[in-house]
Amino acid sequence: TAATPGSVQAGWAFSRANANCGRGNDCAPGTGSYNSAHLINRELGLYYYLRSQMRVGVNWYFWTASNTPLLVQQAIGCKTRPTDSGKECSWHTINLVLNANF
């Protein structure tokens, strides 16, 4: 458990978000004319509890987005780089984690 030092925790998470800027608005100012976007995140993590509510570990995030402007896709390191904005884009990150809850 999170309250027991020496515990190991493995987890999987999924989250989805949609942004709607309203009609005629732009979710990415100056980089396209979109009024909505969507983002999906999958996370896989492995953690070790040093003490109650304090953990170290590693997690892997895999992201997928749509309506992502081309310059944003290039800046975040998308695995797929279409020649025009608005296409689906995906990328991943691996993170070392130190969490402490108060």
Side-chain angles (χ1 to χ4, degrees):
T1 72
T4 306
S7 293
V8 175
Q9 177 186 34
W12 168 258
F14 174 86
S15 56
R16 177 176 180 243
N18 288 309
N20 187 341
C21 299
R23 188 176 181 153
N25 291 325
D26 187 354
C27 288
T31 57
S33 56
Y34 305 108
N35 62 6
S36 67
H38 108 159
L39 181 68
I40 295 175
N41 174 32
R42 277 95 50 202
E43 175 189 359
L44 181 62
L46 183 63
Y47 307 98
Y48 175 79
Y49 283 87
L50 299 171
R51 62 180 192 157
S52 180
Q53 302 300 320
M54 180 181 237
R55 67 185 183 177
V56 295
V58 62
N59 61 24
W60 171 72
Y61 292 107
F62 181 72
W63 304 85
T64 303
S66 67
N67 280 350
T68 311
L70 181 60
L71 294 177
V72 173
Q73 291 180 27
Q74 292 172 348
I76 60 179
C78 291
K79 288 191 295 183
T80 53
R81 292 187 183 180
T83 57
D84 60 339
S85 295
K87 300 291 185 179
E88 186 172 279
C89 168
S90 61
W91 69 100
H92 67 91
T93 60
I94 297 173
N95 307 288
L96 295 175
V97 178
L98 172 62
N99 287 118
N101 295 324
F102 300 96

